[in-house]
Amino acid sequence: MTRGDLTDAEWELIEPHLPLGAFGPIPESTAATKTTNAVDKRSLLNPEQAAAILDWIRRRPRGGKRLHAFFATLYYCGPRPEEAVAMRVEDVTLPAPDADDQWCELLIHTATPEVGKQWTDTGEIHEQRDLKGRAEGETARCRAIRP
């Protein structure tokens, strides 16, 4: 219904109740919504919770050791899941068991997100890509303490 569909008497009755501006309805608030990038610490795992979950994953009969390595890498080193999937044994440098410095180093050089067979040129489930936010061919190093 538009203004042209109403008689003057009908319009006089309705007009005071409509929030109309020069170009249409006036929004109730024009203030921008405040947002934050802060992470709510209540939503994070503490070390005890992480250890319990990783232990539970490791004890799974099918794929538990493989999934334990994957999730432990995500928790302790913080790569993106598609970066952790692309890692190989030769990308990990572990310290000697008796070394004073117990930090390991991971070399992250590629990402292989799962995009599905129908979306890749090769028919593979994963697609190989460069790291997000980095130049083509650039690598990232990640250090983590041995748990």
Side-chain angles (χ1 to χ4, degrees):
M1 179 181 299
T2 64
R3 166 66 177 99
D5 297 332
L6 302 174
T7 65
D8 288 339
E10 292 170 329
W11 181 251
E12 284 179 26
L13 244 166
I14 296 173
E15 185 180 22
H17 303 289
L18 296 176
L20 293 178
F23 300 103
I26 299 171
E28 291 189 21
S29 173
T30 57
T33 305
K34 293 182 181 181
T35 61
T36 180
N37 290 333
V39 175
D40 183 358
K41 294 194 186 277
R42 296 173 295 177
S43 67
L44 300 176
L45 291 176
N46 64 41
E48 293 80 23
Q49 291 170 326
I53 289 172
L54 290 172
D55 184 52
W56 180 85
I57 291 170
R58 184 177 49 246
R59 289 184 280 115
R60 297 300 90 203
R62 291 179 38 152
K65 290 180 181 178
R66 181 177 48 84
L67 290 172
H68 176 266
F70 175 74
F71 285 110
T73 301
L74 294 182
Y75 180 73
Y76 290 110
C77 301
R80 291 181 174 92
E82 63 266 20
E83 295 168 351
V85 167
M87 290 178 56
R88 300 293 173 250
V89 172
E90 55 270 9
D91 298 333
V92 180
T93 305
L94 294 174
D98 58 343
D100 292 336
D101 180 11
Q102 284 295 301
W103 288 85
C104 69
E105 187 173 76
L106 306 178
L107 178 65
I108 301 170
H109 53 83
T110 189
T112 54
E114 184 176 324
V115 293
K117 292 181 191 179
Q118 67 272 25
W119 303 108
T120 61
D121 295 333
T122 61
E124 299 288 323
I125 294 173
H126 292 92
E127 183 176 71
Q128 193 151 350
R129 298 181 182 170
D130 288 316
L131 300 180
K132 272 189 176 175
R134 296 189 179 261
E136 187 176 329
E138 191 175 348
T139 61
R141 293 194 180 275
C142 173
R143 289 179 50 100
I145 191 91
R146 180 184 257 173

